[in-house]
Amino acid sequence: MKNIFTRLLLIPAIVAFIFSACDSEGVVRDYGVTPVQKLYTPDNGKAIELQPQGTLFFEWEPALAEDGGNPLYEVVFDTENGDFSEPVGYMVSDNNGMDPRVTLTHKQVNRIAAQTGMEAEEQGTLKWTVYSSKGYMPAKALEERTLTVTRLAGFADIPEQVYLT
């Protein structure tokens, strides 16, 4: 009985939430966010030799949302001369996009570097920045940084099975 009563109260709350997110025309409200003002780490131009077991930590200043909630974040990667219009890779920040930081394994960075066209054991430069949003209309950070990486030897994605014939 208690379960049924709880569910009956939950239905009007969900309906009210859905209608409060839209204006009278049924259009979803755009709750804007400010762009990230400052990227903290890694430093601009940092050189990293990727290792099979290593990690790389990214951190930035939190953005502000119009509704006072937490924005979502994505770290976006592009080629050295790219403008982020067609990024080669992206990673959602820690805590399902809620935290202003992300820890990537060197294997993840290696995979992103491979998508830029870098060959195995080759050194190249990635450009990265952060996008903040409320799930709609992302705002690009005011700052961009570069990261010089030396790729791992071998495949970017290790195959699960290998067959010899």
Side-chain angles (χ1 to χ4, degrees), residues 93-110:
S93 72
D94 292 344
N95 194 17
N96 291 326
M98 302 288 282
D99 291 342
R101 65 185 106 18
V102 67
T103 303
L104 300 179
T105 65
H106 281 196
K107 288 182 180 180
Q108 289 171 315
V109 177
N110 187 56

Side-chain angles (χ1 to χ4, degrees), residues 7-141:
R7 288 183 184 169
L8 287 175
L9 287 177
L10 188 60
I11 291 171
I14 291 172
V15 171
F17 176 74
I18 290 170
F19 285 111
S20 68
C22 301
D23 63 12
S24 62
E25 300 293 317
V27 177
V28 177
R29 292 184 191 143
D30 177 20
Y31 288 115
V33 295
T34 62
V36 170
Q37 302 289 315
K38 180 116 177 85
L39 304 176
Y40 294 144
T41 188
D43 293 329
N44 194 27
K46 182 173 182 164
I48 297 179
E49 187 169 332
L50 300 176
Q51 303 294 324
Q53 301 301 320
T55 59
L56 185 58
F57 183 70
F58 293 80
E59 188 174 26
W60 53 90
E61 181 179 278
L64 301 173
E66 282 181 11
D67 65 354
N70 291 333
L72 302 172
Y73 302 102
E74 285 183 337
V75 178
V76 182
F77 297 91
D78 207 345
T79 59
E80 184 176 12
N81 299 322
D83 61 357
F84 296 102
S85 60
E86 294 181 29
V88 294
Y90 67 93
M91 294 301 289
V92 176
S93 72
D94 292 344
N95 194 17
N96 291 326
M98 302 288 282
D99 291 342
R101 65 185 106 18
V102 67
T103 303
L104 300 179
T105 65
H106 281 196
K107 288 182 180 180
Q108 289 171 315
V109 177
N110 187 56
R111 192 174 308 117
I112 292 167
Q115 291 172 337
T116 66
M118 257 187 266
E119 297 295 327
E121 295 184 315
E122 185 179 76
Q123 186 177 38
T125 302
L126 296 172
K127 190 189 302 188
W128 69 277
T129 193
V130 176
Y131 279 88
S132 56
S133 73
K134 288 296 280 186
Y136 181 73
M137 300 294 290
K140 183 178 164 227

